[in-house]
Amino acid sequence: MKGAKEGRWWRWSAAAVLAAIGLVLAGGGIMLIGLGGSAYYLLAGLACIASGILLSRGDRRSLLVYAAMLVGTVVWSFWEVGAQFWQLLPRLAGPTVIGAVLWLAPIRRKLVLSSDSASRWGLGGAVALGVAALGVTFLMVPTFDIAPATTASISSAGPADPAAAQWTDYGANLAGTRHSSAAQITPANAVELKQAWSFETGDTKAKRPEIKSISFMATPLMVDDRVYFCSPTGKVFALDADSGRQLWLRDPHTNIGNAQMLNCRGVSYHADPAATGLCARRIISMTVDGRMLASDAATGAQCPDFGRNGAVNLDVGLGAVDPLRSYTTSPPVIVGNIAVLGSYVRDNFTKDDPSGVVRAYDVKTGRLIWAWDSGRPDDAPMPGLGESWTRGSVNAWSVFSADPALGLVYLPTGNATPDHVGTHRSPMLERYASSIVALDVKTGRVRWAFQTTHHDIWDYDMPAQPVLFDYTVGGRKVPALAAPTKRGAIFILDRATGRPLTGVEERPVPKGNLPGERYSPTQPFVKGFASFIPPPLTEQGMWGATPIDQMWCRIRFRSMDYKGLFTPPSERGMIQWPGTFGILNWGSVSIDPQRQLMIVNSAAIPQEVRLFRHGGDVNHPVMAKDSHAPGYLPQYGTNYGVSLLPMLSPLGIPCEAPPWGKLAAVDLRTGKIAWSRTFGTTADSAPLGVAVPGAFNLGGSVNTAGGVTFIGAALDNYLRAFDTATGRELWKGRLPAGGQATPITYVSRRTGRQYVVIAAGGHAYMGTTPGDSVVAFALGKP
């Protein structure tokens, strides 16, 4: 009697769950069909409802109905997405598990007749089919989507000169190649890397409760066996390059005010060979409260000859400024005795943001030499007494590069805020937006400019440091510049003239119908060089952990505007793909000149963008904490506010199937991808530590003459080493926090030992593990 009651309880419980799932699938399926989507979810829902009703009555046909639905699901899944494991997983895993539960003895005991083979083996066979489909396709999951071809061997570079294997600029050098002549670490011995030292800055939310949001993304420098870097609050540190021991600290006691995102990307180094004594060698750093500091490289003491007491006020001429609206996070590029810097300007809040003016200062005195304001005529004089720079003009927040021989500094520019509406922008504000602009380093005059996005209403600003290298065209080496973009195109330009060295064509793009908005009919696309623009989104490509949240993603896809790349923002809401974090971002690319390879890490998740008319009665999300946090951004000075949300399922899983992040190499001799692979996993961020390969990443790579590429960047807390020529993973070292930064590598003059160093502090908006560490790795023996 007790066993019979338990059997009924199991059966009724299973029937209720099955019917509830069926109701959800059928209801969502009807909605999806109404939007022009797949009919599968309605049919599957009806089958689950029927199976549940029959099961509650003790009718053995319930198992047959569910078995037929499961077999149909397997067939439909392969028809829709082929043998792609990560696409099959949400379609098959849940239904297969439910089928296995229904096959448990307490449920099927009273339903299956020994003489009825269909009842006895039908559901078991369907479950076995689902398990086999997932198991076989899991074994087929590729690490490489483009496998490396046979690569010509590169002779060993031999021991590097320690003086040449320093890291003197943000991108290793003024060209920003992120390449080192260090060759001690090779593909043969990288597996022997061990942690050599670590250091903590003390700047975390846990250690400093007054901090609201913080990301530690600094790229250190290493000069004369000293490692220099800044913490997010503007502290500047000097560490011993071999031990990590603190040599000095300069704390500027930054007023962080209401700053919602504290960040300092790095510092700059300058040496005057003719000078001696205090500040003959100096470190230039920035603070979020609008100061540029000069510190003695040997002691950390403030340089009394620089500005006022070692500081220059960067808010002069900007008008009303608060720490939330404008500050400089990237280190200036220094050419000779001139330091050139831009600034971050808050996105999507108001058209009355401070100016995006780019300024050049005498690195020894702090005197302003020139300023370039894109909102003023090219030949306009400096603002007079009581005047200020153009408010809301195009800024340049990322890192600059320079060619001293050509006398040019290269700026990656943003657009005139707010970002997702352009009705307020004048032709003056449009002409240099989302461009590479080459300025004369001595005068600040524009020598050339190349625009990568016309009338940018997608926040597709130029996020990455331009990278300078020699590119062969028609058998002749040309001084070139690589300009990585958020949308995944990499423009290759003659850095002397700005002329494209590969094909660029204007292609028609979708137009919108927002009142008062204007739309560019075309946008520039690269021809003849590898593109990282992702394939267009499709309903079939929507993802999720289960059929229900995958269905939800499919409904979202059908409910919003999506016409491919450059779908314009709308009040209905549109899917931006790639989103504002882009395919490529501030990590830029690195170039191995020996192997003629460009190393590119890419990542993307779709984004939902919706405009809200000011004064309307439509509910909108809560106000965002700042420009990059999910929520509502007012875009004051225009007719519309905007919400920016990652396109996630109800379970918080991206609606686009993995992989979300890749690492690739482009052969600079052919312009084609030499190899491409996934890297990183979700193990440190997903529930239950599920390690989905190909995690989202944000950071940069470095490569060496020894043939090794190092990169952190991914969601999991690791620094990885890859064979530059083949993409093979050689090693990974555990980090105490997220490695959303660009590592450096150098050789110590004192010991001859090669180190790889990275800031491990996590990224506030990626949800990676927060921290405040700088970690160094080296071989066990030099």
Side-chain angles (χ1 to χ4, degrees):
M1 180 66 70
K2 182 179 179 181
K5 288 183 177 180
E6 287 181 352
R8 284 196 297 271
W9 183 90
W10 275 94
R11 192 172 70 247
W12 290 341
S13 297
V17 171
L18 200 56
I21 291 173
L23 287 171
V24 173
L25 288 174
I30 291 172
M31 186 180 301
L32 186 57
I33 290 174
L35 294 168
S38 171
Y40 162 79
Y41 296 92
L42 173 59
L43 298 176
L46 293 175
C48 287
I49 292 171
S51 180
I53 292 172
L54 292 171
L55 184 61
S56 69
R57 297 174 177 174
D59 190 326
R60 71 180 187 276
R61 289 178 296 176
S62 65
L63 303 187
L64 297 176
V65 170
Y66 193 87
M69 188 277 292
L70 183 52
V71 171
T73 297
V74 172
V75 173
W76 168 77
S77 298
F78 276 90
W79 170 78
E80 193 170 56
V81 297
Q84 300 179 56
F85 170 77
W86 291 108
Q87 284 280 20
L88 293 173
L89 184 65
R91 290 168 167 83
L92 298 182
T96 301
V97 169
I98 292 174
V101 170
L102 293 177
W103 190 242
L104 292 175
I107 297 176
R108 66 180 172 88
R109 183 181 294 121
K110 299 295 184 180
L111 300 178
V112 177
L113 300 176
S114 58
S115 60
D116 187 348
S117 59
S119 300
R120 190 174 182 83
W121 301 111
L123 181 57
V127 169
L129 178 64
V131 171
L134 290 174
V136 171
T137 55
F138 175 75
L139 297 175
M140 296 166 55
V141 172
T143 298
F144 287 87
D145 55 335
I146 298 179
T150 303
T151 306
S153 61
I154 300 292
S155 59
S156 173
D161 176 6
Q166 301 189 100
W167 201 275
T168 58
D169 294 275
Y170 178 90
N173 42 51
L174 290 175
T177 59
R178 293 161 184 78
H179 175 77
S180 171
S181 61
Q184 187 179 108
I185 301 169
T186 68
N189 62 22
V191 70
E192 300 171 20
L193 285 165
K194 306 290 183 185
Q195 182 174 312
W197 54 260
S198 66
F199 177 83
E200 296 179 0
T201 69
D203 276 358
T204 66
K205 290 178 68 175
K207 297 174 183 177
R208 296 189 59 180
E210 73 275 18
I211 292 175
K212 293 184 175 71
S213 183
I214 190 169
S215 291
F216 188 23
M217 300 182 280
T219 298
L221 306 181
M222 200 295 287
V223 186
D224 296 334
D225 285 351
R226 294 180 177 223
V227 174
Y228 301 101
F229 65 94
C230 54
S231 74
T233 62
K235 295 177 182 176
V236 182
F237 295 85
L239 308 181
D240 180 89
D242 285 292
S243 67
R245 177 176 58 89
Q246 181 176 308
L247 301 176
W248 57 256
L249 157 67
R250 182 177 179 186
D251 186 350
H253 302 288
T254 304
N255 176 18
I256 62 176
N258 294 318
Q260 300 292 327
M261 168 54 80
L262 295 178
N263 175 28
C264 181
R265 300 187 190 280
V267 299
S268 300
Y269 172 82
H270 178 266
D272 184 349
T276 57
L278 185 68
C279 294
R281 295 177 298 117
R282 59 186 62 196
I283 300 297
I284 305 298
S285 62
M286 326 303 296
T287 66
V288 297
D289 59 3
R291 289 177 289 161
M292 177 168 57
L293 310 178
S295 308
D296 179 53
T299 66
Q302 64 187 29
C303 296
D305 58 352
F306 186 81
R308 178 176 295 181
N309 298 321
V312 169
N313 182 2
L314 297 177
D315 290 343
V316 172
L318 295 185
V321 176
D322 67 62
L324 177 63
R325 295 176 66 177
S326 176
Y327 47 88
T328 299
T329 60
S330 297
V333 63
I334 299 178
V335 184
N337 292 327
I338 299 176
V340 185
L341 69 150
S343 63
Y344 160 83
V345 176
R346 179 180 56 178
D347 294 339
N348 285 316
F349 269 77
T350 175
K351 73 174 186 178
D352 190 43
D353 268 327
S355 177
V357 61
V358 172
R359 289 165 288 183
Y361 293 87
D362 186 311
V363 76
K364 295 196 288 186
T365 67
R367 177 179 63 88
L368 179 64
I369 298 174
W370 54 258
W372 177 71
D373 179 357
S374 65
R376 296 162 64 89
D378 290 341
D379 57 354
M382 292 272 199
L385 187 64
E387 295 180 332
S388 61
W389 307 107
T390 307
R391 295 191 69 78
S393 61
V394 167
N395 70 320
W397 59 267
S398 193
V399 181
F400 305 163
S401 51
D403 185 335
L406 292 174
L408 295 178
V409 59
Y410 303 97
L411 320 180
T413 67
N415 50 40
T417 61
D419 301 79
H420 286 86
V421 172
T423 54
H424 62 291
R425 298 179 194 159
S426 67
M428 189 73 75
L429 292 178
E430 292 273 45
R431 57 184 181 149
Y432 294 128
S434 302
S435 301
I436 297 295
V437 179
L439 301 182
D440 187 298
V441 73
K442 293 182 179 178
T443 66
R445 298 295 188 189
V446 176
R447 293 266 285 271
W448 60 260
F450 181 88
Q451 190 165 71
T452 64
T453 302
H454 309 318
H455 191 63
D456 183 3
I457 49 177
W458 303 272
D459 194 17
Y460 281 162
D461 52 3
M462 296 299 290
Q465 181 183 24
V467 181
L468 315 184
F469 67 108
D470 290 336
Y471 189 66
T472 301
V473 179
R476 181 176 63 90
K477 284 189 175 181
V478 179
L481 174 152
T485 67
K486 283 185 177 180
R487 59 186 170 101
I490 301 176
F491 291 88
I492 307 298
L493 310 176
D494 184 322
R495 67 176 183 261
T497 66
R499 179 178 59 86
L501 295 177
T502 65
V504 173
E505 66 178 8
E506 294 284 338
R507 299 178 188 170
V509 294
K511 292 184 179 181
N513 55 10
L514 203 68
E517 184 63 276
R518 57 190 182 280
Y519 302 93
S520 175
T522 64
Q523 295 290 350
F525 286 78
V526 176
K527 295 173 58 181
F529 195 80
S531 172
F532 294 87
I533 297 174
L537 295 176
T538 63
E539 183 197 327
Q540 292 86 345
M542 294 295 101
W543 205 61
T546 69
I548 290 176
D549 63 330
Q550 184 185 51
M551 177 183 68
W552 186 94
C553 285
R554 295 173 83 130
I555 292 171
R556 293 298 296 160
F557 176 81
R558 290 287 185 175
S559 300
M560 306 184 77
D561 294 339
Y562 180 68
K563 303 174 184 177
L565 186 61
F566 295 114
T567 298
S570 67
E571 291 184 78
R572 181 173 184 250
M574 68 91 165
I575 300 172
Q576 183 167 324
W577 173 246
T580 57
F581 270 83
I583 294 290
L584 310 176
N585 211 297
W586 50 261
S588 196
V589 300
S590 64
I591 288 181
D592 185 330
Q594 286 177 278
R595 294 163 184 82
Q596 283 291 286
L597 293 174
M598 174 187 289
I599 307 301
V600 183
N601 58 295
S602 58
I605 290 177
Q607 190 170 31
E608 298 181 10
V609 179
R610 186 180 178 189
L611 299 178
F612 295 85
R613 185 183 296 273
H614 290 317
D617 58 0
V618 179
N619 291 330
H620 54 68
V622 296
M623 185 71 77
K625 291 182 294 185
D626 65 44
S627 302
H628 301 292
Y632 176 74
L633 298 159
Q635 298 197 133
Y636 296 128
T638 75
N639 292 330
Y640 297 90
V642 65
S643 69
L644 306 173
L645 300 169
M647 192 178 182
L648 305 176
S649 78
L651 295 179
I653 295 171
C655 282
E656 172 67 2
W660 304 294
K662 294 182 180 181
L663 184 68
V666 180
D667 188 331
L668 295 175
R669 291 161 294 200
T670 65
K672 297 180 179 179
I673 296 178
W675 55 259
S676 175
R677 57 161 298 149
T678 60
F679 85 101
T681 74
T682 59
D684 286 318
S685 57
L688 305 177
V690 176
V692 179
F696 191 87
N697 62 82
L698 188 63
S701 66
V702 304
N703 63 76
T704 70
V708 180
T709 291
F710 296 97
I711 187 169
L715 284 174
D716 54 2
N717 302 336
Y718 287 98
L719 175 67
R720 288 177 166 84
F722 295 89
D723 186 321
T724 302
T726 67
R728 178 172 59 94
E729 184 173 313
L730 306 169
W731 165 88
K732 63 180 181 180
R734 188 67 173 168
L735 299 173
Q740 282 68 59
T742 301
I744 68 168
T745 187
Y746 58 83
V747 175
S748 165
R749 287 185 177 182
R750 184 166 55 249
T751 65
R753 197 177 187 191
Q754 182 182 351
Y755 294 87
V756 185
V757 177
I758 189 171
H763 193 283
Y765 303 137
M766 289 179 65
T768 50
T769 307
D772 61 337
S773 297
V774 177
V775 185
F777 296 90
L779 296 175
K781 293 182 180 180

